[in-house]
Amino acid sequence: PFSIIYFLEYMESLFTPSWKRRAHAFAPEVSVEEVIELHKALYLANLAYLNSIEEIKAGLQEESSEWELIYAQLKTAPWEPAHYIALRKNQPLLQGTVRHNSLDVLLVVRGTKDFANVLSDGLLDAVEFRGGYGHAGLVQSGQFLVDHHIDL
C-alpha cells in the first residue's frame, strides 16, 4: 500500500522539475565545513561501539592525533553506560601564572549495544528533571556519569 505513494511521488518528480526545490525549500543550507565537522563527530561517536580500549585508541589515532584517550569504560550494567573520555592534545593547562578555566574534553557515551542497555532503555518511567520530565533510564545513566567523573 505504501509503494503507490512512493511511485506517485517519483512520477511527479519526473514531470515537475520544481518538485525537488519544493521538497527542500525549508531545509537550512549546510556548509561543507559543517558537514566535515559532523562527519568527524559521528566517527568519534562510533568509536564507543568498539570492543576494546586498544581499538578506541587506534581509532582516535586514525582520525587524527588530535585526541588522547584518558579513560574508557566498556563494560555496561543497567544505568551504567559504556563511555570514553578524551582530551584534546597540546592544550595549555597552565600558562605562566594564568590558569585556563576551560579544556576541550570529549565525553562519548555509547547507546544500545547489549542487554544491559536494553534495561536502561526499557525503563519508561518519567522522572522530574530540571523543571520538566526526563526518561528515567537516561537520567539515572547521566547521574552515574556525573557521580563517576565528578573529580575530573
Side-chain angles (χ1 to χ4, degrees):
F2 290 109
S3 60
I4 189 70
I5 295 170
Y6 292 114
F7 174 77
L8 292 173
E9 190 173 53
Y10 172 72
M11 293 306 291
E12 181 185 0
S13 71
L14 294 178
F15 298 115
T16 311
S18 66
W19 176 84
K20 289 183 182 177
R21 281 185 275 135
R22 285 196 321 269
H24 301 289
F26 301 106
E29 187 174 313
V30 179
S31 70
V32 173
E33 293 80 19
E34 289 173 314
V35 172
I36 290 170
E37 285 300 312
L38 178 61
H39 178 268
K40 287 179 183 179
L42 291 172
Y43 176 84
L44 293 169
N46 197 45
L47 293 178
Y49 290 87
L50 297 177
N51 295 317
S52 72
I53 293 173
E54 291 74 25
E55 289 177 316
I56 293 174
K57 285 181 181 179
L60 288 171
Q61 290 300 316
E62 185 177 309
E63 172 62 20
S64 70
S65 59
E66 182 179 6
W67 296 98
E68 181 177 359
L69 184 70
I70 62 165
Y71 180 85
Q73 176 179 321
L74 301 180
K75 181 183 169 201
T76 61
W79 310 289
E80 295 181 10
H83 60 285
Y84 74 88
I85 299 175
L87 287 177
R88 189 180 305 274
K89 291 182 179 178
N90 302 320
Q91 294 185 79
L93 299 178
L94 288 172
Q95 196 172 42
T97 59
V98 178
R99 181 174 177 83
H100 292 272
N101 290 328
S102 65
L103 289 174
D104 290 338
V105 178
L106 186 66
L107 170 62
V108 180
V109 181
R110 185 174 73 199
T112 305
K113 183 179 178 184
D114 52 31
F115 187 69
N117 304 130
V118 173
L119 291 176
S120 296
D121 293 344
L123 187 62
L124 298 176
D125 294 334
V127 296
E128 289 189 24
F129 182 72
R130 294 190 174 197
Y133 291 93
H135 182 283
L138 290 177
V139 171
Q140 287 178 348
S141 295
Q143 191 61 52
F144 165 77
L145 293 170
V146 170
D147 294 343
H148 194 68
H149 296 295
I150 193 73
D151 293 332
L152 290 178

